Amino acid sequence: MSQNDLPYSVIRPAAWHAGVIFASPHSGRCYPDWFLRTTRLPMEVLRSSEDAFVDQMIAAAPDFGAVALSAHVPRCIVDLNRGADEIDPMVVRGTPRHPLNQRTLAGLGVIPRVVSQGRVIHERMIERAEAEHRIETCWRPYHQALAALIAEARARFGRAVLIDMHSMPHDALSHLQGPRPDMVLGNRHGLSAAAWLSDAVTEAVEDEGWRIRRNSPFSGAYICSAYGRPGQNVHVVQLEIDRSLYMDERSITPRPDFDIFAARLSRVIGKLAVLDQGKADRIAAE
């Protein structure tokens, strides 16, 4: 990613129908040389923290009248689904050891310490100026773009709907009892989205024959909590997809039937892109 490139892309539909935004904050895969010189990990390990190919799947959203927002910056450089103040003192030199949330303690702050399976990213601690540079040039522009889209949707449609798209390692659900879900919907236990949206996402996913679970083990992270304001008609849900459904997790390559999976997911996207809140409310009440 060159200095002149934005750390994200926005694809708009010819006609935005219902104020729906599909976003992928963890699908970035532009690894600059300066970063690769600072890490101890090979590329295939760094990429294990990506939501690989999710941006390709949501690229269908504008065809159905929704906006698609995708990150270019990799998650292991800056995590866009964390707060700008979630700074790990074990990563950034000179950071006060103030009380930290569980994500940051685990090495998953805004400048991550580890990728999957706890593998340490950096050869050495980075300076505070470097952390602030990453936040200013990558984190802040993405969130400015997201906030602007949400504000525009509210102004034009009276509401904004954000479907924050993610992927999860297949093993992330190995501890769950009962049938393993294919997807996990997070709505901060109802705090980030009204019931009609969560019900509509659940119905669209189940119509494709997939199993979906709510808020366990993923209830939504920073983006859900920062933007989800159902009382102000801003509804945010996080949707985690089991990576094994569409990719080989070891080689980070699409499965032979990737196009079939993507077509099924596009039908889900198509239903949600034109979602009518009044109709969803009526269905939920029946």
Side-chain angles (χ1 to χ4, degrees), residues 8 20 28 34 64 73 80 82 104 114 122 132 134 139 141 178 181 191 196-197 215 226 230-231 239 264 271 277 279:
Y8 64 87
V20 180
W34 65 261
F64 299 105
V73 60
L80 302 174
R82 300 291 182 264
T104 307
V114 299
H122 301 92
E132 291 174 353
R134 294 189 194 187
W139 187 95
L191 295 178
W196 63 262
L197 175 59
N215 293 311
L239 189 61
R264 293 173 67 191
K271 291 176 181 179
Q277 181 176 341
K279 180 180 179 181

Side-chain angles (χ1 to χ4, degrees), residues 80-264:
L80 302 174
N81 198 22
R82 300 291 182 264
D85 60 348
E86 294 184 56
I87 298 177
D88 186 344
M90 295 180 66
V91 174
V92 181
R93 196 184 312 278
T95 299
R97 293 183 177 272
H98 50 73
L100 305 173
N101 61 37
Q102 290 299 312
R103 294 190 298 256
T104 307
L105 285 171
L108 300 174
V110 66
I111 309 292
R113 186 190 334 141
V114 299
V115 293
S116 62
Q117 300 177 17
R119 292 169 288 191
V120 177
I121 297 169
H122 301 92
E123 286 282 5
R124 59 187 63 84
M125 294 181 71
I126 68 174
E127 300 299 327
R128 183 66 183 232
E130 169 61 25
E132 291 174 353
H133 178 73
R134 294 189 194 187
I135 291 168
E136 287 300 318
T137 59
C138 299
W139 187 95
R140 211 163 299 283
Y142 181 89
H143 282 277
Q144 288 170 345
L146 177 56
L149 287 169
I150 289 172
E152 181 183 350
R154 286 190 68 204
R156 292 177 58 181
F157 305 100
R159 65 107 189 260
V161 172
L162 172 61
I163 315 293
D164 204 44
M165 301 289 291
H166 295 261
S167 68
M168 55 189 175
H170 183 69
D171 290 345
L173 304 181
S174 60
H175 65 287
L176 297 179
Q177 301 295 319
R180 182 193 296 259
D182 300 306
M183 302 184 190
V184 175
L185 182 150
N187 62 13
R188 305 293 293 176
H189 301 279
L191 295 178
S192 69
W196 63 262
L197 175 59
S198 299
D199 291 344
V201 174
T202 298
E203 181 181 3
V205 167
E206 290 180 340
D207 282 350
E208 288 299 321
W210 290 315
R211 293 185 298 273
I212 187 169
R213 183 182 180 124
R214 293 194 191 185
N215 293 311
S216 176
F218 307 109
S219 64
Y222 173 79
I223 288 172
C224 277
S225 62
Y227 294 98
R229 299 290 184 271
Q232 300 173 27
N233 283 326
V234 180
H235 307 274
V236 184
V237 297
Q238 176 179 287
L239 189 61
E240 296 269 3
I241 304 171
D242 184 341
R243 293 174 185 170
S244 69
L245 295 174
Y246 65 89
M247 65 179 276
D248 182 315
E249 293 184 76
R250 183 178 297 274
S251 63
I252 315 180
T253 54
R255 281 178 32 159
D257 58 353
F258 176 86
D259 289 344
I260 296 173
F261 179 89
R264 293 173 67 191

Side-chain angles (χ1 to χ4, degrees), residues 43-66:
M43 182 65 76
E44 63 271 16
V45 176
L46 291 172
R47 294 198 66 198
S48 68
S49 68
E50 281 180 27
D51 289 341
F53 313 116
V54 171
D55 57 336
Q56 295 180 28
M57 290 186 282
I58 70 167
D63 295 337
F64 299 105

